[in-house]
Amino acid sequence: MPGLTTSIPFPEDVPTHPLLVVDYKLIEAHDEHELNKLWKAATELGFCLKNHGAEKEVDGMFDMGAETLDLPLAEKMKYEQGDNGDSFGYKARGTIATDKNGTRDNVEFLNISQNDTLSWPRVTHRTYPSTVNTRMNNTILPFVRKSMAVNNTFLSFFECKLGLPSGELTNRHAPSELNGGEARCIRTPPRQTSAGVGAHTDFGSLAIVHNRLGGLQVMPPGSEKWLYVKPLPGHGVCNIGDALAIFSGGILRSNVHRVMPPPGEQSHLPRYSITFFTRPGNDVILRSLKERSPLIATAVSAAPEGVYETGSTAAEWIARRIRKLRIKNRAVSRFQAMLLII
Ligand SMILES: O=C(O)CCC(=O)C(=O)O
Ligand SMILES: [Fe+2]
């Protein structure tokens, strides 16, 4: 079980940022102290989640991810996401940029759509390698369902705290609609020296990241310093994405994070992570819900004009962000720029 390797401990001497730990069992029990902690974390820097109930499913996802990413490259390339802004499928190494200079990444992704998982064996968006298909019912579906339930609980809670009518957030994430929600496995080869995933905020609404090795880093607000998040066994790391930041007029914070090689001796191991992303329905317009909540209206009025009015649907927003990352698209635009100069 490659993702489960804990034989080399996280080093003691690297700077870490201790995220707040939220206990999902207490959230389900409406424990006031825990709910306050969740709200604080969601409006500041994200949090670690324990007792999420998907521990067994997460282990299965690490196995499924490793089995799939171990397939021959030619087989995986049949499912490559391409340069048009699609996320689902396989992302080969070296296809996206990790910084402004266009430095190529060194990670592979396997992205499995929430819609495809729920409609399996009917194809909603695309097909997947055989190692995914054989695990769809017994591994991926239970993982996706449990992760959706956790995120849905959070969305309902945020609705309430933001003073939104019930359903304003959850209905924008209806599983029956086409959406960009996905389960992701990332693999970084051992002994890397540069970023695996460059600094970013997540495109969608909520992400739960599970990892066994270090590598995930956050930049706390008001700081210029990257700090590792030390993986805690059985815990997920929850991040708010851009869509929730926009809906809430910035009250919910999408935090900046990146993936670096695991620290110290852990860098000798391949690194796997498993993430579930909840994203709004494809046709949902990304704009603040200021008409639906006085609290959000106040937050928006204090922000520069128009920052929470993207004019984009969730599908356009995500596709644009992914297209921009793909090296090929950058190469084309540099070439076009050259033609313009000549
Ligand atoms: O691998 C990780 O720890 C985080 C991955 C991540 O941030 C992402 O896929 O958006
Ligand atoms: Fe991320």
Side-chain angles (χ1 to χ4, degrees), residues 109 184 186 197 200 202 209 211 215-216 239 257 259 271 273 275 277:
F109 289 4
R184 168 177 299 169
I186 297 185
V197 182
H200 67 284
D202 288 333
V209 187
N211 44 46
L216 178 63
N239 290 322
H257 55 282
V259 179
R271 177 185 189 272
S273 69
T275 305
F277 295 92

Side-chain angles (χ1 to χ4, degrees), residues 88 113-120 122 124-125 141 144-153 155 167 169-182 276-282 284:
F88 308 137
S113 143
Q114 173 185 305
N115 288 141
D116 282 327
T117 305
L118 298 181
S119 70
W120 170 260
R122 188 173 57 75
T124 303
H125 296 282
L141 184 60
V144 166
R145 278 201 193 288
K146 286 202 172 174
S147 308
M148 284 170 60
V150 169
N151 281 351
N152 212 47
T153 302
L155 290 177
L169 287 180
T170 50
N171 293 345
R172 284 176 167 76
H173 299 83
S176 52
E177 299 295 318
L178 294 182
N179 61 58
E182 64 188 7
F276 180 76
F277 295 92
T278 291
R279 291 175 173 153
N282 280 354
V284 172

Side-chain angles (χ1 to χ4, degrees), residues 208-325:
I208 315 176
V209 187
H210 307 271
N211 44 46
R212 311 295 194 226
L213 297 182
L216 178 63
Q217 293 185 331
V218 291
M219 188 183 275
S223 141
E224 302 266 288
K225 218 173 148 185
W226 287 106
L227 296 172
Y228 281 101
V229 175
K230 180 178 173 175
L232 300 173
H235 290 53
V237 174
C238 296
N239 290 322
I240 306 282
D242 296 338
L244 278 190
I246 293 166
F247 291 145
S248 68
I251 297 176
L252 297 169
R253 300 279 303 259
S254 57
N255 79 34
V256 183
H257 55 282
R258 68 178 185 180
V259 179
M260 292 303 284
E265 297 283 299
Q266 288 198 337
S267 69
H268 301 163
L269 300 170
R271 177 185 189 272
Y272 290 80
S273 69
I274 297 292
T275 305
F276 180 76
F277 295 92
T278 291
R279 291 175 173 153
N282 280 354
D283 295 336
V284 172
I285 306 282
L286 293 190
R287 62 186 300 267
S288 83
L289 303 179
K290 61 182 181 190
E291 289 87 4
R292 312 296 287 149
S293 149
L295 205 65
I296 297 177
T298 307
V300 170
S301 65
E305 183 77 27
V307 277
Y308 298 116
E309 295 290 332
T310 69
S312 296
T313 62
E316 288 162 355
W317 175 270
I318 294 171
R320 194 178 323 124
R321 294 268 310 256
I322 297 174
R323 265 199 308 271
K324 268 197 190 161
L325 287 173

Side-chain angles (χ1 to χ4, degrees), residues 23-35 51:
D23 185 334
Y24 187 64
K25 280 214 173 108
L26 294 177
I27 296 294
E28 279 187 306
H30 306 288
D31 179 276
E32 208 178 316
H33 172 75
E34 212 63 15
L35 289 170
N51 291 327

Side-chain angles (χ1 to χ4, degrees), residues 61-77:
M61 288 295 290
F62 274 105
D63 290 342
M64 183 285 304
E67 279 161 25
T68 307
L69 295 172
D70 275 347
L71 291 171
L73 183 61
E75 181 61 17
K76 293 184 286 190
M77 289 305 283

Side-chain angles (χ1 to χ4, degrees), residues 157-208:
F157 172 65
F158 296 154
E159 265 169 18
C160 180
K161 289 296 279 188
L162 291 164
L164 284 165
S166 170
E168 284 289 331
L169 287 180
T170 50
N171 293 345
R172 284 176 167 76
H173 299 83
S176 52
E177 299 295 318
L178 294 182
N179 61 58
E182 64 188 7
R184 168 177 299 169
C185 176
I186 297 185
R187 177 166 74 178
T188 315
R191 286 174 274 280
Q192 300 300 307
T193 49
S194 56
V197 182
H200 67 284
T201 50
D202 288 333
F203 311 152
S205 294
L206 285 165
I208 315 176

Side-chain angles (χ1 to χ4, degrees), residues 88-107:
F88 308 137
Y90 171 67
K91 188 205 78 64
R93 290 176 65 184
T95 51
I96 66 174
T98 59
D99 58 27
K100 288 198 292 292
N101 305 324
T103 308
R104 283 175 189 271
D105 74 309
N106 51 24
V107 299

